[in-house]
Amino acid sequence: MSHHVLIAGGGIGGLTAALCCAARDMQVDVFEQAAAFGEVGAGLQLSPNCSRVLHALGLQDALAAHAFLPQSIEMRAWRDGRVLQATPLGAEATRRYGFPYYHIHRADLIGVLLAACRRRGNISLHADSPVERVVAHQQGVTLRVKGRDWQGDVLVGADGIRSVVREHLFGAEAPVFTGNVAWRGLVPASRLPAGLVRPVATAWWGPRKHFVHYFVRRGELVNCVCVVEKQGWEVESWSARGEHAELKADFRGWHRTVRELIANMDPDACFKWALYDRPPMPRWSEGHATLLGDACHPTLPFMAQGAAMAIEDAAVLAACLARATAIPAALERYEALRRERTAGVQTGSRRNATVFHLSGPAAWVRNRALKLASGSAMERLYAYDPLAAVAG
């Protein structure tokens, strides 16, 4: 049966869900509250568990034109730079998992997804279209957008961490400040000394702080995310600016590479946001409506899996809808297939927030444990096939 799917939210999760549903011959309308489809933020990592979904949608050539393929992931000590752990990526990731590991600018990924949506005759995109009301009924759902009612068989709330759809379905929530503040910035590679940044994703671990950097946009930019435990700043916004001098002070005494990257950031484009945590939801579907991505399982950025989980959600949701004629049953199956995995990523990300920032004897024990780690957790994360999960 061909369903009419209404999607609130035109970010990575919403657009991927639109493409996955359209590929299964569903009619899709996507409503984005912003004046135009786009993305704030900087870089993100697309591991093989989600790049397999994007390849299945035929996006591999477009991704290759914009992305960067890292050779490995390295964990390094904050002061002397010694490697604590390294995981090979590049050709090894493709050989092992069947699909590549990408670094990409968020705006570039949105551009790839938008272009693909616009090529589909069964996807309609509506910008400047904030959700005003959600009304569920036995036959489907009614979505009110700017005074107009839209009828659909199913509603997907892919409208992010401050989801309006979630609030309509389950009420308001009260997130908890983690005590971590994240900085982000981009550095043109041309500004940096040759060889300063290697073609890998690097995480520098230190007492109460860590610093992550990697290339995006074919290697033209270095994306930096810098996390510090501090109080007094609790603004949860990707677009709030911070003081460059404060960022430099936060990482005073760190390895030269970290200090060089900070020094070469544009002082007017240093962004700062407070990290809030939200526990796994016990349920996120109600009748003909459900949630996807950050709307139902927002995760701290310490496993680089936020976008990946939304992309996996999209593939599983579309497959469940395509297999069932009863929408509520399809959404129950979607939720059942996704709940444990996404909760595990939320929990793991929360745990990493502590592990990355250890100091003294606890850090020594952590570093020793890293040398003995088998990599089985990474295997479970990257080898996951969302479409096979539905088939099972």
Side-chain angles (χ1 to χ4, degrees), residues 47-107:
S47 46
N49 47 300
C50 72
S51 66
R52 69 169 64 238
V53 174
L54 300 176
H55 280 218
L57 292 170
L59 304 179
Q60 57 266 39
D61 290 342
L63 290 171
H66 294 282
F68 183 83
L69 294 172
Q71 295 178 1
S72 66
I73 299 174
E74 292 182 347
M75 311 304 182
R76 290 182 174 266
W78 67 283
R79 181 178 287 169
D80 61 18
R82 71 187 184 279
V83 176
L84 305 175
Q85 186 184 55
T87 302
L89 295 177
E92 175 61 17
T94 303
R95 183 196 68 78
R96 192 176 188 90
Y97 305 113
F99 297 88
Y101 193 114
Y102 293 111
H103 292 161
I104 193 166
H105 195 292
R106 288 176 179 271

